[in-house]
């Protein structure tokens, strides 16, 4: 049985999609913030891989087609931005300032913690781009001597944390304005956070899409300064 899964071309894809569907079903049934489809799906995938003793490299190779779809899926977020373009024009200065402040705060806090715990340049380079999309973060990390795999893991964890904890923090700090919520999700937790912002409202999703794009550009600009 294990050999069948190891040699299957579509096992990884079926496992990933199936785990996400199950996670979505549990999320809808419980309506509990921690029951996030991505979080549940990731846990189920890890359990199956561990139970069948399937190497991560094999699973990653089987899911390569899903990795190729990440870029066009990210680009499709521009649709929500275009639909809300007229309403966004009046908020552009606030969005730009918010994204800039969030980007500097993200890079600065990671840099300070790395200095505080005495981490070397390799780990610092790997952890700094935690709040941008994988396509940008890995390039920045590896270009400065970081570990791409570690950067990918940190980016995914950051996105899941933002997706799960975003509503809780919004309620805790009284963040009710859709523009403010969009800036927070897009700047702090990139695409995964934006998927939650889209569920809140069209305007929140559009602002989050714009914010994750601006955050990626600003991170690329400020990254070398912190390194």
């Amino acid at each position: 049985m294990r050999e069948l899964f190891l040699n299957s071309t579509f096992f990884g894809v079926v496992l990933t999609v199936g785990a996400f569907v199950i996670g979505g079903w549990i999320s809808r049934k419980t309506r509990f913030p921690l029951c996030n489809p991505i979080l549940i799906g990731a846990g189920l995938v890890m359990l199956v891989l561990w139970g069948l003793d399937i190497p991560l490299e094999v699973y990653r190779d089987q899911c390569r087609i899903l990795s190729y779809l990440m870029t066009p899926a990210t680009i499709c977020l521009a649709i929500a931005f275009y639909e809300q373009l007229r309403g966004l024009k009046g908020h552009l200065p606030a969005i730009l300032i918010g994204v800039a402040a969030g980007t500097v705060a993200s890079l600065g806090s990671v840099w300070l913690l790395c200095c505080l715990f005495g981490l070397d340049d390799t780990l610092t380079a790997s952890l700094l781009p935690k709040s941008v999309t994988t396509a940008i973060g890995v390039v920045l990390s590896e270009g400065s001597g970081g570990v791409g795999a570690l950067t990918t893991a940190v980016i995914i964890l950051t996105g899941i944390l933002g997706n799960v904890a975003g509503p809780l923090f919004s309620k805790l700090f009284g963040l009710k304005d859709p523009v403010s919520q969009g800036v927070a999700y897009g700047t702090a937790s990139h695409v995964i956070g934006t998927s939650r912002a889209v569920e809140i409202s069209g305007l929140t999703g559009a602002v989050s899409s714009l914010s994750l794009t601006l955050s990626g550009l600003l991170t690329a600009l400020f990254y070398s300064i912190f390194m």
Side-chain angles (χ1 to χ4, degrees), residues 42-222:
L44 291 175
V45 169
M46 287 189 289
L47 283 175
V48 172
L49 295 180
W50 174 76
L52 296 176
D53 192 25
I54 296 177
L56 182 60
E57 293 75 16
V58 174
Y59 170 73
R60 185 186 295 120
D61 186 64
Q62 292 175 348
C63 291
R64 187 172 297 173
I65 186 173
L66 294 179
S67 300
Y68 291 149
L69 294 175
M70 287 180 61
T71 299
T74 303
I75 295 173
C76 286
L77 291 173
I79 296 175
F81 171 69
Y82 177 77
E83 292 175 343
Q84 300 289 334
L85 183 60
R86 183 172 298 178
L88 285 175
K89 290 181 179 179
H91 300 290
L92 284 179
I95 293 172
L96 289 172
I97 294 173
V99 172
T103 301
V104 173
S106 174
L107 291 170
S109 60
V110 173
W111 181 79
L112 285 173
L113 288 172
C114 288
C115 292
L116 179 64
F117 289 102
L119 302 184
D120 58 24
D121 290 342
T122 299
L123 289 176
T124 301
S126 304
L127 297 176
L128 272 175
K130 67 174 181 60
S131 293
V132 297
T133 59
T134 306
I136 297 175
V138 171
V139 171
L140 291 175
S141 172
E142 294 180 343
S144 298
V147 181
L150 176 59
T151 302
T152 301
V154 172
I155 289 174
I156 293 173
L157 288 173
T158 301
I160 292 176
L161 180 62
N163 190 297
V164 173
L168 299 177
F169 280 109
S170 295
K171 185 177 294 185
L172 179 63
F173 293 103
L175 202 64
K176 299 179 180 179
D177 181 70
V179 175
S180 301
Q181 289 181 330
V183 171
Y185 277 107
T187 305
S189 49
H190 52 86
V191 178
I192 301 179
T194 299
S195 66
R196 173 55 68 92
V198 171
E199 296 175 2
I200 297 174
S201 71
L203 179 57
T204 305
V207 174
S208 186
S209 301
L210 176 60
S211 298
L212 76 87
T213 304
L214 294 174
S215 177
L217 294 173
L218 291 176
T219 298
L221 179 64
F222 295 144

Side-chain angles (χ1 to χ4, degrees), residues 14-25 36-38 40-42 44-45:
V14 173
L15 173 61
T16 304
V17 174
F20 182 78
V21 170
I22 293 173
W25 179 81
N36 181 271
I38 297 175
I40 296 173
L44 291 175
V45 169

